[in-house]
Every structure is written in structure tokens, then in C-alpha cells.
Amino acid sequence: MAQVLRHLPPNREDKNLLVGIDYSDDAGVYRLTDELALIQTLDYFTPVVDDPYMFGQIAAANALSDVYAMGGTPITAMNIVGFQVKKIGAHVLADILRGGADKVREAGAVIVGGHSIDDAEPKYGLSVTGICHPEKFWANKGARVGDVLVLTKPIGVGIMTTAIKRGRASAADIETVSNTMAMLNRQAYEVFKDYEIHACTDITGFGLLGHCYEMAKASEVCMELHVNRVPMLENTVIYAEEDIIPGGTKANHLWLENVVRYAENVSEPMQHVLCDAITSGGLLASMSFEDAEQAVRRLQECHVDARIIGEASELQGATYIDVVL
Ligand code: CO
Ligand code: CO
């Protein structure tokens, strides 16, 4: 998608457009007044799990996440639906929409409408509008040399959902990955906003390393990640060893091959987990070590699997991500 967006003409003539498509940010930010800016984003996709109610929750948590990643509060949402009622049944669609509505309510936002089209392959997602202060939102740009990086959810979701599709995942795997994806990034956002966040994004299609790279590039820094500190869903490395890897994950790995430097003992399956294209991943934030220590402690106390996974360092002629054990 980022590759296609690059061909759009720049929008810089509007001084109220604070974040557009320049740095692969999570959402657009548009200033309405000196105190108020609008955050706009949308996301929709085909089912990632079999349970329609769970799918609805996941799609909503994923769409809402881009507002949290910008440091904003979601206010309203609109359903985006592709569905064939005659083929699949109205009760399935009702369950999907109920899942989405429940998550939107949990986020403190409200569904104001939506649009559906007849589509043989079901799709669901939401367009979400949030608000923030026009000078206090978080972007990909802003990570500073000496910052540490905090991640708030485990990775490996894409590999795990592929294992589900291939009938390889256990019931426990399915439950864990579903709950991980359906979890809102609200708590992470609410804790982070008590600190000075220099840059923030959420981990989705580009994978952990891809989103790290986008943040590092926009911020003009390098980053070092410590594999052993990165939270990962159980069994994902094993599935990766068996080549249960989504196409998007392999594409990320290839895209990043000249900018990510893996230590010799980081295996290829592990590299794929680190590049795994994720749905509804956690927030990745760059901040001082002192702030990070406090934020991580508070998040862990409320059962969010947040960890310090790396740090930002000086540019080395170009942007590189070093991955060490
Ligand atoms: Co995002
Ligand atoms: Co998105």
C-alpha cells in the first residue's frame, strides 16, 4: 500500500494537514482549531479467525489501534462491510457487527453508521475518527538517539493465523492469538500519555522490523533490537521452522534485507517471526529509559505484556536496524 501511496501528489499546500502520507504514519491528522485536531484512519480485511463474533472484535481493535498509535482518543466509527447474506447467512453478519460494536463501546467510542456491499468474500473493518491536541500527537518521526523502544503486545500473529488456516494450531494457540488480536491498545495509550513519547506506531502489516524501520527512517536514527526481549506468541518459531509463514511476512523479510543486519546467531525462522505481518499488534513507542521503566511496570501491573525491546542510536550514513540476541 505504501508503495502505491507514494505516487499520490503531496498535499502540503494545506497548512492544517499535520500528518499525511509522507512517513507511513498510522493515520492522518488534520488541525481544526488551535486546540483540536482530527485523526482519521480506516482498515478492513477478510476473516482471520473462524468465529464471526471474534473476527468483529479483532477488526475493530485493529482499526481503533491506529488512533491510539497517534496518541489520540477514538470518538466515532463507521462499519465497512463486504458480505453475501444469501450465501453465508444474516446471523453470521450480525455476530461480526456485534463483535465490532462491543469493541468500539469498550474503546469509549460510538458507531455512527457504515456501508455494505455485496461481496462473495466476506470483509469487515471500520473507519475510525479520533481527536488529539494539534501539538501533542505521536508520529513515526521523533525517536531520539538514546531512547529505548517499548512494545506492548507479542508478535507472531500472522504466522499463528496461517497455522490456524492450515489446521495446525491447537485450541490453546487459537484462543491466545484471538485474545491478543482482540485486545485494545487503549490501556497502552492511556499509560503512555502520562510520559513524554517521542515517536509511536502500532505493529501491523510491515511486521515489527518493518515498523521499526519506518520509525527509524522518519526519525533519522538507527535502532538495535534484542531478540530475547521481544514478546512472541508461543510456538511461532516452531511454525516458522516448518515454513508456516504468510506471504506478507516473506515479502517484509525480503524488503528489509539490505537495511536489517541480523547477528549470525539469529536464525532465519526467527527472522521471519520478527518480520511477521501482523493484524492488530501492539504499540511500539520510543521514549527515555526512565519513562519506559515506569510505563512498562505500570502496564505489566494491568496484565499488558509490555517490554523494553531495543534502543535508538545515531544514524550510520543510512538507517539500519541491528538485530542481536
Ligand atoms: Co498502524
Ligand atoms: Co492501518
Side-chain angles (χ1 to χ4, degrees), residues 25-27 41-44 62-63 65-66 202 204-205:
D25 272 296
D26 297 292
T41 180
L42 76 85
D43 225 327
Y44 67 103
N62 177 75
S65 175
D66 279 327
D202 60 350
T204 53

Side-chain angles (χ1 to χ4, degrees), residues 293-320:
E293 265 198 320
Q294 284 187 39
V296 164
R297 193 177 324 120
R298 284 178 56 194
L299 284 168
Q300 287 177 351
E301 275 165 16
C302 41
H303 310 289
V304 175
D305 191 2
R307 313 221 198 133
I308 297 176
I309 62 161
E311 57 269 334
S313 56
E314 243 161 80
L315 208 62
Q316 298 167 27
T319 297
Y320 295 103

Side-chain angles (χ1 to χ4, degrees), residues 112-157:
V112 295
H115 184 69
S116 64
I117 59 163
D118 196 60
D119 192 338
E121 196 182 22
K123 294 173 190 76
Y124 176 61
L126 302 100
S127 155
V128 182
T129 299
I131 51 170
C132 64
H133 190 283
E135 277 148 26
K136 288 181 192 150
F137 59 87
W138 308 330
N140 265 339
K141 192 177 166 176
R144 301 176 193 172
V145 173
D147 275 1
V148 297
L149 302 165
V150 176
L151 176 66
T152 68
K153 275 192 197 183
I155 60 167
V157 165

